[in-house]
Amino acid sequence: MLRALPGGRSRSPEAEQQGRLACLQALERKVLWLSTWMIHNANHLRPSRDGLKVGGHQASSASVATVMTALYLDVLRPQDRVAVKPHASPIFHALQYLLGRQTRDKLERFRALGGVQSYPSRTKDGDIVDFSTGSVGLGVGVTLFASIVQDYLRLKRLMPGDGPAGRIIALAGDAELDEGNIFEALLEGWKHDVRNLWWVIDYNRQSLDAVVSDRLFLRIDALFEMFGWRVVTLKYGRLLEQAFARRDGEHLREWIDNCPNSLYSALVYKGGEGWREHLARDLNRYPGIRAILDDHDDPGLHNLMTNLAGHDMAAVLDAFHAIEDDRPTCFIAYTIKGYGLPFAGHKDNHAGLMNPEQMASLQRSMGVPLGAEWDRFAGLDVPVEELTAFLASVPIAQVPVTRRAAPPIAVPAQLPAPRGERMSTQEAFGRILGALATGDDPLADRIVTTSPDVTVSTNLGAWVNRRGIFDRAERADTFREEKVVSAQRWAMAPGGQHIELGIAEHNLFLQLAALGLAGPLFGARLLPIGTLYDPFIKRGLDALNYALYQDARFILVATPSGITLAPEGGAHQSISEPVIGMAQPGLTAFEPAYADELAILLGWALSEIQRDEGQSVYFRLSTRPIQQPEREAGPQLAEAMVAGAYWLREPGPGAELAIAYCGAVAPEALAAHAAILDDVPGAGLLAVTSPERLHRDWRAALRRGQAGIAERLLAQLAPGAGLITVADAHPAGLSWLGSVARNIVVPLGVDGFGQSGDIPDLYRVYGIDSDAIVDAAARACLRRLDPVRYN
Ligand SMILES: Cc1ncc(C[n+]2csc(CCOP(=O)(O)OP(=O)(O)O)c2C)c(N)n1
Ligand SMILES: [Mg+2]
């Protein structure tokens, strides 16, 4: 078959392929140039106002220029999704620029406000980025969980269109494999039989500080294979393979194979002379090797010895195109950090920047005329029309970059609150979800739950029994088949709506990240709910932060929490999580006390996570059964619960004291309130459902110059009234309330590690029982009467 060329000529498939290869090789040079120039421009040409180094990673970028050019300009299909190695951001944006999806203005403002971000960012660089990256290891891990989400959606036919599955690809630095989360993810992936997943490792054998251990990679192949992955190693390029095929070539191969990483890197930096000296010394007895040395001048020898497959476009393309099935595949691409740049291979090159002289010399060697630095084609040896036609034919360029629309899922105005005289918020949660699971509200079909081996103990049992566990294949519940009595029915099927994970909390948050991006990644909206024990939020905190950084939307239910967990002991008793909930961007935090509050807040959260400007939502729940209020929460009360606080006991006019409580200590707050009413008539009792929302509203109101919600509530008290704050958590979560209307605040809470005990003992020891609240109230009143003596 002959293809028509512009101008009416035609050429054979072989010539066509050669033409494409020539375009890719030319553009690969351009991508290297643009990324290097982008960083240079930001550091040397843009005026600095603060004297800070701008930075950027010229060496890390150069390392993946070939692999990324091959992927973005040839291999990727519109349905594929990619997480790019964080410090290859300049290469990624250079490629987008060539494709006309990125502007020169943004490239010129690399690492400046509004410009290209240091590390690819979904929220700031826009829809060209599939996954944000930055904290190494997490971008790699999230692709695995995104592949599970793709299967989840495809098997349930929730994805729009009927096209082929996309490949979910991570471009990883080799040192990223030091991050434990990668191994946690691999094991989880094996359990879930992940498919359509590619991890491409930029094996430049360098990290930030050093050259990586030689022995490390001996283990990598075995490791991936153990988890059922295919490993494709791209080691030597075409030139080296040809040299190996020459007489005595096997000795050259053996020499390189055995060359320690540090020596290889050092020789890469030294260049032709260094190679010659070592090869002549070690292999001079072989006539074939002497001939190879004679046939190459120093630059030629350097070129030969650095011809690793990760820099050989044809080899890279062959490796990618050879994969036609959906088995997870790890490509180990041998590369050189800083390839093509003067500090190639130098162990200190991670943060290295080329100086102006080096840059000028690179510019000359690239044939880029002065003033044409941002030109897409200047200096390339392929005609501009051919390059333009090539770029227009790139598969991913056939689809415009737009945010994938996923229509919102309707949420009922209010979820029914579970009834009962005494109940814990955790029990209420289980019952609310259980009721949703039984009902036929289409909302429930879009809910997907996940938990790191605490499904039963966080009360998801009823939901899972009814909605089943997700698996790519049908798997029977053996206990059930064997008629062993159990409250849990754990049949697995593609239709299941719970993703059961192993204990690793990082995996939970990466799974939530991927589920919470189902809309933008795959065009189908899911409403993810993840459960874990509150103290273990910290175990996966960076992954949670990572999920929120890229605006994944989900509901996090953390239970049990605090010292209220009592006998279970100090290691499981969370303290600082509510403060984390307050300080964590992208997350709205609630700690309700009662079942009706939770029903209202959960309903609100299901809408909130779907709102364009919304956030993910964190609920801190408890296993403590407490007396429920007898009330029907009307719209006004519901609104106040969502806003963060309401008066459970309204203060009398000019009240001199109020107690503000949050969460499971409600009974102590109520008892203390009842006890002080005689001495302080009209004292108020403020139920705080969300310190975080109150605080946020307070700051926003201050900016607007208005009274916010907290200020309006506290304005009902006398000026300078006492305010006792109490929660089973660090007191900083509520103590700030004293600043809002200048109340005399006495903050109660937990600021030491917990221990085993029962609730009365522990609340007494940590000073959050009703006696402690009454004492604090007395202190506040004394202070109010005699501020001089008590200050
Ligand atoms: C969690 C985390 N720790 C530390 C860093 C700082 N850091 C950025 S890149 C890097 C080394 C990366 O080496 P490698 O993955 O091999 O990438 P290369 O630059 O060699 O391509 C480090 C330690 C980070 N970004 N994230
Ligand atoms: Mg590296």
Side-chain angles (χ1 to χ4, degrees):
M1 191 180 63
L2 299 180
R3 277 261 312 259
L5 283 179
R9 289 168 294 136
S10 301
R11 59 188 185 191
S12 67
E14 295 75 39
E16 170 85 8
Q17 215 174 350
Q18 278 309 315
R20 286 186 67 81
L21 185 61
C23 286
L24 283 163
Q25 284 168 330
L27 292 170
E28 158 193 10
R29 277 169 65 78
K30 182 51 72 180
V31 164
L32 174 62
W33 164 257
L34 283 171
S35 85
T36 313
W37 176 252
M38 192 187 314
I39 298 168
H40 184 75
N41 176 69
N43 283 275
H44 290 276
L45 304 178
R46 215 166 54 207
S48 166
R49 294 188 302 179
D50 52 16
L52 285 186
K53 172 183 168 179
V54 178
H57 299 93
Q58 287 174 329
S60 302
S61 293
S63 184
V64 278
T66 313
V67 166
M68 285 184 63
T69 303
L71 274 175
Y72 277 88
L73 301 189
D74 185 79
V75 178
L76 289 184
R77 296 294 175 266
Q79 66 271 21
D80 297 335
R81 303 285 173 264
V82 188
V84 174
K85 180 180 87 161
H87 23 301
S89 168
I91 292 278
F92 170 77
H93 288 287
L95 282 159
Q96 298 294 335
Y97 176 64
L98 289 182
L99 289 170
R101 301 163 155 211
Q102 182 55 283
T103 63
R104 171 174 163 179
D105 171 58
K106 291 213 174 185
L107 299 193
E108 288 191 51
R109 288 188 291 132
F110 172 59
R111 292 190 168 219
L113 188 67
V116 157
Q117 298 293 298
S118 312
Y119 309 113
S121 163
R122 282 180 36 76
T123 52
K124 293 167 210 107
D125 287 320
D127 298 332
I128 50 175
V129 175
D130 296 326
F131 301 96
S132 304
T133 51
S135 179
V136 296
L138 298 179
V140 185
V142 80
T143 55
L144 183 144
F145 293 96
S147 81
I148 295 178
V149 174
Q150 179 175 242
D151 282 344
Y152 184 96
L153 295 170
R154 285 175 65 81
L155 288 166
K156 291 187 174 62
R157 302 199 171 282
L158 290 175
M159 245 154 100
D162 222 2
R167 291 159 301 188
I168 318 291
I169 302 172
L171 288 160
D174 45 358
E176 289 198 64
L177 295 183
D178 287 340
E179 291 288 357
N181 82 273
I182 297 215
F183 302 94
E184 296 177 353
L186 273 175
L187 190 53
E188 198 60 56
W190 178 81
K191 293 186 222 163
H192 287 270
D193 189 23
V194 287
R195 302 276 118 191
N196 298 299
L197 186 62
W198 285 10
W199 285 0
V200 184
I201 299 172
D202 175 9
Y203 186 32
N204 59 26
R205 300 167 308 288
Q206 279 187 251
S207 59
L208 191 158
D209 282 336
V211 176
V212 303
S213 156
D214 293 306
R215 289 170 308 126
L216 185 69
F217 257 72
L218 298 174
R219 297 271 137 233
I220 295 292
D221 284 32
L223 188 97
F224 276 89
E225 274 160 9
M226 190 173 86
F227 287 118
W229 289 53
R230 174 197 292 115
V231 177
V232 176
T233 304
L234 291 88
K235 192 161 185 185
Y236 298 120
R238 302 286 155 100
L239 293 180
L240 270 173
E241 290 292 356
Q242 281 162 16
F244 298 153
R246 288 175 60 162
R247 184 179 172 205
D248 293 327
E250 70 276 16
H251 301 296
L252 182 62
R253 180 195 287 272
E254 201 182 331
W255 187 90
I256 306 187
D257 277 345
N258 293 329
C259 185
N261 288 343
S262 305
L263 177 61
Y264 186 86
S265 292
L267 293 179
V268 167
Y269 181 69
K270 285 173 79 174
E273 227 175 297
W275 293 112
R276 193 174 300 279
E277 187 192 323
H278 276 262
L279 289 172
R281 195 179 62 205
D282 296 346
L283 303 177
N284 217 27
R285 60 189 178 282
Y286 302 111
I289 300 291
R290 289 199 300 273
I292 290 174
L293 292 179
D294 289 346
D295 288 353
H296 291 83
D297 60 7
D298 280 352
L301 185 61
H302 182 63
N303 200 30
L304 173 69
M305 294 303 288
T306 55
N307 178 238
L308 299 183
H311 298 301
D312 188 317
M313 181 58 80
V316 170
L317 290 172
D318 283 355
F320 286 147
H321 286 300
I323 307 300
E324 287 176 344
D325 59 19
D326 64 1
R327 185 171 164 204
T329 301
C330 170
F331 298 89
I332 301 175
Y334 275 69
T335 57
I336 290 166
K337 193 155 172 171
Y339 186 73
L341 304 181
F343 42 47
H346 196 291
K347 72 182 178 58
D348 304 335
N349 65 11
H350 184 81
L353 293 173
M354 286 163 66
N355 64 32
E357 294 72 42
Q358 291 172 320
M359 204 59 205
S361 141
L362 181 73
Q363 183 160 8
R364 279 192 299 277
S365 73
M366 289 269 184
V368 177
L370 288 177
E373 290 84 359
W374 297 106
D375 191 289
R376 286 182 166 85
F377 307 117
L380 302 184
D381 55 6
V382 178
V384 170
E385 323 72 85
E386 212 162 310
L387 291 169
T388 318
F390 172 83
L391 284 171
S393 75
V394 165
I396 55 166
Q398 308 312 307
V399 176
V401 187
T402 46
R403 174 136 302 196
R404 275 166 282 276
I409 314 298
V411 180
Q414 206 159 312
L415 298 178
R419 302 275 163 193
E421 216 174 292
R422 295 175 69 76
M423 210 184 310
S424 69
T425 42
Q426 173 169 316
E427 183 190 344
F429 167 67
R431 286 174 58 182
I432 295 168
L433 270 202
L436 271 171
T438 338
D440 52 7
D441 194 319
L443 168 77
D445 296 340
R446 293 297 177 128
I447 291 178
V448 49
T449 57
T450 181
S451 185
D453 203 24
V454 288
T455 299
V456 176
S457 48
T458 54
N459 238 12
L460 274 177
W463 164 266
V464 173
N465 282 347
R466 286 167 196 149
R467 293 283 168 159
I469 294 183
F470 170 71
D471 197 285
R472 285 170 31 81
E474 302 267 351
R475 291 180 212 275
D477 177 351
T478 310
F479 275 74
R480 201 170 161 75
E481 294 206 327
E482 293 296 326
K483 302 198 169 42
V484 177
V485 178
S486 163
Q488 317 301 334
R489 290 194 291 277
W490 286 68
M492 301 179 179
Q497 284 179 251
H498 174 76
I499 300 178
E500 178 69 11
L501 299 172
I503 308 173
E505 281 76 14
H506 261 273
N507 285 342
L508 169 75
F509 290 120
L510 291 180
Q511 184 67 81
L512 285 172
L515 289 166
L517 292 173
L521 286 177
F522 302 116
R525 195 182 292 269
L526 290 173
L527 304 173
I529 301 180
T531 68
L532 86 169
Y533 295 175
D534 196 48
F536 302 129
I537 285 183
K538 289 203 288 290
R539 183 62 177 263
L541 194 53
D542 194 30
L544 169 61
N545 180 62
Y546 173 68
L548 297 167
Y549 178 69
Q550 50 189 329
D551 202 24
R553 298 294 182 76
F554 49 86
I555 294 172
L556 185 63
V557 175
T559 177
S561 59
I563 61 168
T564 305
L565 181 54
E568 185 80 2
H572 280 31
Q573 294 170 354
S574 61
I575 296 155
S576 50
E577 281 66 9
V579 182
I580 292 174
M582 284 181 82
Q584 175 63 54
L587 193 65
T588 296
F590 288 101
E591 186 167 358
Y594 298 119
D596 60 350
E597 293 175 353
L598 180 64
I600 286 162
L601 297 173
L602 207 51
W604 176 85
L606 287 165
S607 296
E608 170 68 5
I609 61 170
Q610 301 192 58
R611 212 163 53 81
D612 280 350
E613 302 303 318
Q615 296 203 322
S616 288
V617 183
Y618 156 41
F619 289 103
R620 186 179 195 242
L621 304 184
S622 166
T623 38
R624 181 186 189 192
I626 63 173
Q627 186 74 31
Q628 299 294 305
E630 275 179 38
R631 63 184 175 192
E632 284 303 327
Q636 229 177 334
L637 181 54
E639 200 182 307
M641 289 170 180
V642 169
Y646 63 94
W647 288 113
L648 187 65
R649 300 285 183 265
E650 195 86 25
E656 305 215 340
L657 187 99
I659 299 167
Y661 77 91
C662 187
V665 293
E668 282 65 30
L670 272 164
H673 178 260
I676 58 178
L677 269 184
D678 278 349
D679 294 329
V680 193
L685 181 59
L686 190 68
V688 179
T689 48
S690 172
E692 188 264 338
R693 286 189 47 92
L694 277 190
H695 190 267
R696 187 196 303 245
D697 173 79
W698 177 44
R699 298 211 333 127
L702 285 173
R703 281 195 297 271
R704 289 194 309 268
Q706 291 169 349
I709 294 161
E711 193 171 344
R712 289 202 300 274
L713 286 164
L714 295 174
Q716 291 179 239
L717 305 177
L723 182 66
I724 315 306
T725 61
V726 57
D728 175 5
H730 194 277
L734 286 175
S735 60
W736 60 271
L737 274 173
S739 307
V740 174
R742 292 198 225 149
N743 293 109
I744 294 175
V745 73
V746 182
L748 303 181
V750 182
D751 57 8
F753 288 116
Q755 58 188 303
S756 297
D758 64 6
I759 287 180
D761 272 349
L762 292 184
Y763 278 17
R764 176 170 43 75
V765 170
Y766 291 86
I768 55 172
D769 63 359
S770 51
D771 286 349
I773 300 173
V774 172
D775 279 357
R779 267 179 281 137
C781 290
L782 284 173
R783 236 165 231 266
R784 186 168 150 71
L785 289 175
D786 191 350
V788 176
R789 175 154 174 226
Y790 289 96
N791 267 337

